[in-house]
């Protein structure tokens, strides 16, 4: 019975979210105004087949990560999210776990920033959501899996990035990331995934281990970012880190001063980059790296 109720709830919530509201193309013949299963799958980062099995009651035990991703993709309220966890036979993550819930009010704010590169991360700097402009600027994040979605992991394990730092900037940025992560670990000492992330980073990166053992504390500061884009070339943007204290979320916003060369390049990226992403089927609104 619980599986049937879960499937009904997913179908009901899917039907009420329009493709436009989710940042998806809405063209073509549609039997309903809501999301197709394939579209929900792309938003949540899970397979369409699994969503079909959930809705039909043939899969009844989704993981906490899957339920959280579905709640974000379906834009559920706090009460609806709690209800979804209950239907899945799970308890929502408690206050001792890094929160990953994006409230409808934050989502509405992000929806208004369609022409601005924006990404939302949790307090551990794991990417939760990115808009198409962010993907066009920084590269498609929807291909990232597991710890690859974490910004600290990507920076200390040498994963490719379009951001270019001077040696001095690099040292400051690394220290800031470790300080931020240490403060988060202190707030959520029972979060096993966070503890595993720190342990793996200490093993894989001597630089991370050095900074962690040095006990650096503090917060990652906002800064300028120099980005090397494959089509637009090099541009330097303001990078503001906005904090949603109640939900412990980080909103990363890139912008350029009007009338500058960087602003012109950002406009070029908005035309070329997002167009190519749509043509290739990118739907990385709900991804889990900075």
């Amino acid at each position: 019975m619980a599986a049937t109720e879960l499937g009904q709830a997913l179908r009901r919530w899917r039907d009420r979210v329009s493709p436009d509201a989710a940042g998806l193309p809405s063209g073509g013949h549609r039997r309903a105004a809501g999301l197709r299963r394939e579209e929900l799958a792309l938003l949540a980062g899970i397979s369409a087949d699994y969503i079909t099995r959930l809705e039909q009651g043939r899969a009844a035990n989704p993981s906490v990560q899957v339920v959280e991703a579905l709640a974000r993709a379906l834009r559920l309220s706090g009460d609806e999210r709690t209800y979804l966890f209950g239907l899945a036979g799970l308890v929502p993550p408690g206050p001792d776990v890094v929160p990953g819930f994006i409230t409808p009010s934050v989502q509405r704010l992000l929806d208004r920033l369609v022409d601005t590169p924006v990404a939302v991360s949790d307090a551990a700097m794991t990417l939760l959501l990115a808009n198409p402009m962010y993907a066009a600027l920084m590269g498609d994040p929807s291909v990232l899996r597991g710890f690859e979605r974490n910004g600290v992991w990507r920076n200390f394990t040498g994963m490719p990035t379009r951001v270019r730092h001077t040696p001095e900037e690099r040292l400051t940025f690394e220290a800031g990331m470790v300080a931020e992560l240490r403060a988060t670990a202190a707030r959520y000492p029972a979060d096993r995934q966070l503890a595993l992330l720190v342990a793996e980073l200490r093993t894989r990166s001597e630089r991370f281990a050095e900074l962690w053992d040095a006990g650096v504390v503090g917060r990652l500061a906002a800064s300028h970012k120099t980005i090397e884009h494959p089509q637009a070339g090099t541009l330097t943007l303001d990078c503001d880190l906005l904090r949603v204290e109640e939900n412990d979320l980080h909103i990363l916003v890139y912008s350029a001063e009007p009338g500058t060369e960087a602003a012109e390049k950002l406009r070029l990226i908005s035309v070329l980059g997002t167009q190519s992403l749509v043509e290739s089927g990118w739907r990385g609104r709900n991804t889990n790296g900075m």
Side-chain angles (χ1 to χ4, degrees), residues 132-133 135-137 162 229 231-232 265-280 282:
M133 266 300 294
L137 176 68
R162 293 180 180 179
H229 190 273
Q231 294 170 292
K265 288 186 176 182
L266 200 56
R267 275 195 288 272
L268 174 63
I269 291 169
S270 73
V271 174
L272 298 178
T274 55
Q275 182 181 60
S276 65
L277 287 166
V278 170
E279 290 172 353
S280 64
W282 182 83

Side-chain angles (χ1 to χ4, degrees), residues 23-288:
L24 302 177
S26 57
H29 175 70
R30 306 181 73 92
R31 290 183 296 176
L35 296 174
R36 298 180 175 122
R37 285 177 179 144
E38 293 78 11
E39 291 168 335
L40 176 58
L42 288 165
L43 288 169
I46 59 181
S47 74
D49 176 68
Y50 188 60
I51 289 179
T52 299
R53 288 189 286 121
L54 283 172
E55 290 190 355
Q56 294 178 350
R58 295 185 288 117
N61 300 108
S63 68
V64 170
Q65 292 77 16
V66 165
V67 174
E68 195 73 89
L70 286 169
R72 285 195 297 268
L74 292 166
R75 298 164 172 245
L76 301 187
S77 68
D79 288 341
E80 289 169 338
R81 172 178 171 269
T82 299
Y83 180 61
L84 177 60
F85 269 92
L87 290 178
L90 298 168
V91 177
D96 56 345
V97 175
V98 176
F101 177 54
I102 299 175
T103 63
S105 61
V106 172
Q107 183 67 66
R108 286 193 296 272
L109 172 65
L110 301 176
D111 289 341
R112 294 179 177 273
L113 300 174
V114 292
D115 297 324
T116 303
V118 179
V120 182
S121 299
D122 66 18
M125 288 165 282
T126 295
L127 188 66
L128 301 176
L129 182 152
N131 68 358
M133 266 300 294
Y134 176 90
L137 176 68
M138 304 298 289
D140 183 3
S142 66
V143 300
L144 302 174
R145 295 293 182 267
F147 284 151
E148 292 177 353
R149 297 174 178 176
N150 182 270
V152 189
W153 179 271
R154 291 203 308 279
N155 277 279
F156 280 93
T157 60
M159 291 184 66
T161 177
R162 293 180 180 179
V163 177
R164 300 292 177 259
H165 292 112
T166 66
E168 294 78 12
E169 290 172 341
R170 182 74 192 177
L171 292 175
T172 300
F173 182 60
E174 288 176 343
M177 295 200 90
V178 174
E180 184 83 40
L181 192 64
R182 175 178 286 280
T184 299
R187 292 198 302 277
Y188 305 99
D191 191 312
R192 296 180 180 178
Q193 191 70 8
L194 177 54
L196 180 60
L197 171 67
V198 172
E200 289 287 336
L201 279 168
R202 285 172 55 84
T203 299
R204 289 175 174 259
S205 170
E206 291 184 6
R207 173 63 175 160
F208 178 88
E210 174 190 350
L211 288 169
W212 189 267
D213 292 341
V216 291
V217 294
R219 282 187 161 194
L220 186 63
S223 63
H224 299 286
K225 292 285 189 198
T226 299
I227 298 159
E228 189 173 314
H229 190 273
Q231 294 170 292
T234 301
L235 64 163
T236 299
L237 302 173
D238 290 323
C239 176
D240 290 299
L241 178 59
L242 313 178
R243 299 174 188 271
V244 183
E245 299 291 350
E246 182 179 356
N247 301 94
D248 217 353
L249 298 174
H250 297 169
I251 303 177
L252 199 65
V253 183
Y254 289 90
S255 64
E257 183 178 350
T260 62
E261 182 182 3
E264 291 299 320
K265 288 186 176 182
L266 200 56
R267 275 195 288 272
L268 174 63
I269 291 169
S270 73
V271 174
L272 298 178
T274 55
Q275 182 181 60
S276 65
L277 287 166
V278 170
E279 290 172 353
S280 64
W282 182 83
R283 301 292 187 272
R285 291 287 300 243
N286 232 337
T287 60
N288 283 325

